[in-house]
Amino acid sequence: MAGIQAPTFEPNDDPSAATYERMATIHNACFPDWPVTADDVRHERESRDPSKFIERYLVRVQGEVVGYAETGHLQMSHREGKYFLHTQIHPDHEEATLATLTFLMGRLQQRGYDHLISYTRTDKSHRIEALERLGFVCLQKNPDVRLDLEQFDPSLWTESLTRVADLGFRLVTLEELGDSEDVWRAYYDLDWELMQDVPYTDSFTKRPFEVWVDQIKTPQFDPSLFHFALRGDEWVGMTECYWSGADHVIAGTGLTGVRRPHRRVGVATALKVKALCDLKRRGAKLIRSDNEESNPMLDLNYRLGFRSTGAWLHYELKVE
Ligand SMILES: CC(C)(COP(=O)(O)OP(=O)(O)OC[C@H]1O[C@@H](n2cnc3c(N)ncnc32)[C@H](O)[C@@H]1OP(=O)(O)O)[C@@H](O)C(=O)NCCC(=O)NCCS
């Protein structure tokens, strides 16, 4: 009956190696389809923009650490008064979710807030119920799509690669481009320009260059999974992929985008095809992505064979 005990909260400012392991275990119990390592958890914390506020807690039930919780400024979309709430509670103790979110909101009362953000997924009924009880409203839905790479047949897509090559586009990886400051700066500029067209409920905040680079270089970072399209010296588009966990069987996608003047000639399709062929060749079994439900990127993913398994839900609470 542990699940019905009231949770307690303690600051999680300086986790031990064992605490990082426990946090990864809890994350992986919640999301076995997107495993992380203790190093991933540590990196996410250590690479956060230090100028942004955050408070972190461990959640205990009857003395046992059953979850962790955080609230702070959004690095990606920052404004005073706007904060995210994040809870990761072990599935055996999901009943602690409402109390944990309520605790975080209580902490923020001292600072004053007018806009709260939280994410969850359609299969997380406790979290959805808790957010809605607290007055949060779902403002954006991103279907969670997956491609079984065993079903992906590269031979059906070779024409998409020759088409863009014939138009003068060159597809290269970050590894091939090299680890120079010029390369990272060009990537940073491209990323920021493309982000302006990614559907979201608010504007994005440009992270400092050093923070942005550090956040990309996760423990699973692999520059050969980042594909770019160049024409002459111009960086035209990109698609990013990441390994999930240490065994490199599951991969996920980051940003895919193409600069406006070069859209609708097949560049994004070619970048995705190249990435998928490469992942399949290297033994990956599954690739995951999510896109806002009206984004043409979602249709492009469906055409490549991705199938929806649920959706990520973006919740907000605005205080008038
Ligand atoms: C989505 C995006 C990456 C597509 O890039 P692209 O290079 O233009 O895509 P492609 O040329 O390969 O398009 C392939 C197909 O997708 C569909 N498609 C692409 N853009 C579309 C649009 N704006 N409206 C309708 N369908 C579209 C079309 O069916 C297209 O085939 P067609 O041109 O023969 O009709 C680009 O619009 C973009 O950069 N958007 C902003 C960034 C973003 O939101 N990325 C996704 C989130 S990670």
Side-chain angles (χ1 to χ4, degrees):
M1 301 295 281
I4 60 167
Q5 300 295 317
T8 58
F9 307 98
E10 72 185 41
N12 185 22
D13 295 329
D14 188 17
S16 64
T19 300
Y20 279 122
E21 287 293 345
R22 180 75 186 136
M23 290 168 75
T25 302
I26 290 167
H27 176 283
N28 295 343
C30 297
F31 294 103
D33 47 1
W34 187 257
V36 298
T37 66
D39 277 347
D40 294 327
V41 179
R42 181 195 298 271
H43 175 267
E44 191 177 346
R45 166 184 291 244
E46 291 179 352
S47 64
R48 189 176 154 82
D49 182 347
S51 72
K52 302 286 183 289
F53 162 80
I54 190 159
E55 278 188 9
R56 303 174 169 105
Y57 295 90
L58 290 175
V59 182
R60 289 185 189 269
V61 169
Q62 291 190 310
E64 183 195 351
V65 175
V66 302
Y68 54 97
E70 302 169 343
T71 182
H73 287 140
L74 278 87
Q75 302 177 93
M76 300 279 286
S77 180
H78 173 63
R79 201 173 41 71
E80 268 316 318
K82 182 178 177 185
Y83 299 92
F84 73 86
L85 304 183
H86 178 63
T87 65
Q88 200 74 278
I89 309 287
H90 193 285
D92 293 345
H93 296 273
E94 280 173 332
E95 293 82 356
T97 305
L98 177 62
T100 305
L101 287 167
T102 307
F103 169 77
L104 292 177
M105 286 171 73
R107 293 294 310 165
L108 288 176
Q109 219 115 47
Q110 302 166 7
R111 295 180 65 90
Y113 62 82
D114 56 28
H115 193 173
L116 301 179
I117 306 288
S118 199
Y119 298 89
T120 190
R121 214 169 58 179
T122 40
D123 57 329
K124 306 293 175 198
S125 53
H126 272 90
R127 178 80 170 261
I128 292 172
E129 213 174 284
L131 286 168
E132 292 184 353
R133 267 183 75 175
L134 291 167
F136 282 75
V137 176
C138 180
L139 292 189
Q140 185 172 319
K141 196 169 167 188
N142 287 24
D144 183 7
V145 296
R146 295 159 194 220
L147 174 67
D148 174 356
L149 279 169
E150 280 173 24
Q151 305 296 319
F152 176 73
D153 181 356
S155 69
L156 300 177
W157 293 96
T158 45
E159 186 272 331
S160 65
L161 297 173
T162 48
R163 180 182 172 201
V164 297
D166 291 347
L167 291 170
F169 296 100
R170 193 162 55 95
L171 306 190
V172 285
T173 65
L174 187 57
E175 184 177 47
E176 290 161 342
L177 286 161
D179 192 17
S180 70
E181 165 109 11
D182 284 353
V183 162
W184 282 97
R185 288 272 174 198
Y187 175 12
Y188 182 59
D189 292 345
L190 177 66
D191 172 274
W192 179 242
E193 187 174 320
L194 299 177
M195 284 300 288
Q196 307 315 307
D197 289 336
V198 174
Y200 186 54
T201 58
D202 205 344
S203 55
F204 290 106
T205 300
K206 194 169 191 173
R207 284 163 286 168
F209 174 69
E210 291 73 18
V211 169
W212 177 85
V213 172
D214 200 19
Q215 290 181 351
I216 288 179
K217 290 186 173 178
T218 68
Q220 315 308 332
F221 167 68
D222 180 345
S224 68
L225 299 189
F226 289 57
H227 300 266
F228 294 86
L230 274 64
R231 188 145 80 162
D233 289 340
E234 188 188 1
W235 291 50
V236 167
M238 67 179 193
T239 192
E240 304 168 323
C241 298
Y242 299 87
W243 295 117
S244 166
D247 58 0
H248 296 183
V249 169
I250 302 175
T253 59
L255 177 62
T256 298
V258 174
R259 281 193 155 122
R260 286 183 185 183
H262 302 287
R263 288 183 189 163
R264 301 305 290 269
V265 295
V267 174
T269 304
L271 284 163
K272 293 285 292 194
V273 165
K274 182 166 181 268
L276 295 178
C277 292
D278 183 52
L279 285 166
K280 183 176 171 103
R281 187 178 50 76
R282 293 168 69 176
K285 299 284 179 237
L286 184 78
I287 177 150
R288 295 184 45 187
S289 190
D290 69 277
N291 300 106
E292 193 271 332
E293 53 193 338
S294 60
N295 193 330
M297 190 66 228
L298 187 60
D299 295 325
L300 203 162
N301 278 334
Y302 284 142
R303 213 157 333 121
L304 289 164
F306 283 80
R307 293 294 169 256
S308 170
T309 57
W312 288 96
L313 305 173
H314 173 89
Y315 274 89
E316 299 197 8
L317 173 67
K318 285 187 180 160
V319 182
E320 299 303 326

